[in-house]
Amino acid sequence: MSTEGVMNIQYVYTVWQAMNRTKPEIDNIVFDGHTAVVHLTQNISPSVLPSFIQIQVPAITTLHFKETDPDSGLLKIYRQDDSWTLEGLLQSVPLISFWYDHVLRLIMGKIVTTTGDLLDAALQQAEKMSQRGQDIQMIGRNLAIENMEKLDEYKSDLHENYLKGIRNWRESCSLEDNHPMIKESGGLYTMVEDVD
């Protein structure tokens, strides 16, 4: 709640006086020369209700000052800001404060703890999956390199074995020039079927 002007600020104080049978308890005051921040506890007990009904509400009142006349050194409040925390309001009402402290805060704590546990488990699982993926990639790369080496070795062996086979075949053909099944024609050897 924000109020400006001396008369309006006085009206706010009149309302607070009507709401409080006892004066508010001031917990702390901080003043920097132009602004005062007052932490206080309002003892709300309207005179229309029985005196045993009293609610203590923590509040923060910020008072803004300005000089009345230049160089006079006299300060006057020109604006007042009152604020209350939701937690303070909830804790000031007896039944609601019990419910807030023993049910809502407990449930919220459990929810946040469970959420944190789930996130931690998910992050650990993601880290494991990432590590497994890197391991699989490394194994695949090593297998590819190993297979390339074996393929190169096989190619060289295949080429050598092919040439060796051709040489052996030529040698065997030259030894059996008169073999009726093999016929030479222009440097090429072809198989001839036996016609009987």
Side-chain angles (χ1 to χ4, degrees):
M1 175 175 74
S2 183
T3 309
E4 289 194 32
V6 175
M7 292 305 293
N8 292 333
I9 293 170
Q10 284 179 352
Y11 297 148
V12 168
Y13 278 110
T14 304
V15 171
W16 280 120
Q17 284 176 348
M19 301 269 305
N20 296 328
R21 287 190 183 166
T22 60
K23 65 179 182 175
E25 299 167 13
I26 296 176
D27 302 321
N28 189 19
I29 298 176
V30 178
F31 182 62
D32 69 356
H34 298 289
T35 305
V37 179
V38 182
H39 293 262
L40 54 100
T41 303
Q42 295 281 3
N43 297 309
I44 299 176
S45 178
S47 36
V48 294
L49 297 175
S51 62
F52 66 85
I53 296 177
Q54 181 174 334
I55 299 173
Q56 292 187 325
V57 178
I60 300 172
T61 298
T62 306
L63 304 171
H64 301 274
F65 295 90
K66 67 178 176 181
E67 283 190 77
T68 54
D69 293 319
D71 298 327
S72 68
L74 296 174
L75 298 176
K76 169 173 77 170
I77 299 172
Y78 71 93
R79 190 172 94 207
Q80 174 180 336
D81 297 320
D82 291 308
S83 59
W84 308 272
T85 63
L86 180 60
E87 181 178 17
L89 292 172
L90 289 174
Q91 288 182 339
S92 65
V93 180
L95 292 176
I96 294 176
S97 71
F98 177 81
W99 179 79
Y100 175 74
D101 285 337
H102 295 89
V103 177
L104 184 64
R105 288 179 71 177
L106 184 69
I107 289 172
M108 289 303 293
K110 296 278 185 190
I111 289 172
V112 170
T113 303
T114 303
T115 303
D117 186 36
L118 289 173
L119 286 175
D120 183 54
L123 290 173
Q124 286 180 1
Q125 191 62 29
E127 189 176 321
K128 284 180 185 177
M129 289 173 65
S130 175
Q131 185 62 41
R132 294 274 170 128
Q134 290 174 357
D135 291 346
I136 289 170
Q137 185 179 11
M138 181 67 89
I139 290 169
R141 190 180 64 158
N142 290 342
L143 281 173
I145 290 171
E146 186 179 319
N147 287 338
M148 293 278 289
E149 291 171 355
K150 285 183 179 179
L151 185 61
D152 288 342
E153 183 180 319
Y154 177 74
K155 279 183 185 177
S156 67
D157 287 349
L158 182 66
H159 185 67
E160 286 177 26
N161 288 337
Y162 174 74
L163 292 177
K164 187 177 178 182
I166 295 229
R167 271 188 249 126
N168 288 341
W169 180 70
R170 280 187 182 169
E171 287 175 7
S172 68
C173 286
S174 63
L175 292 176
E176 301 173 2
D177 279 337
N178 297 334
H179 191 280
M181 301 295 281
I182 300 174
K183 186 176 191 181
E184 182 181 354
S185 168
L188 294 174
Y189 296 96
T190 57
M191 299 289 286
V192 178
E193 290 186 22
D194 189 16
V195 181
D196 284 331

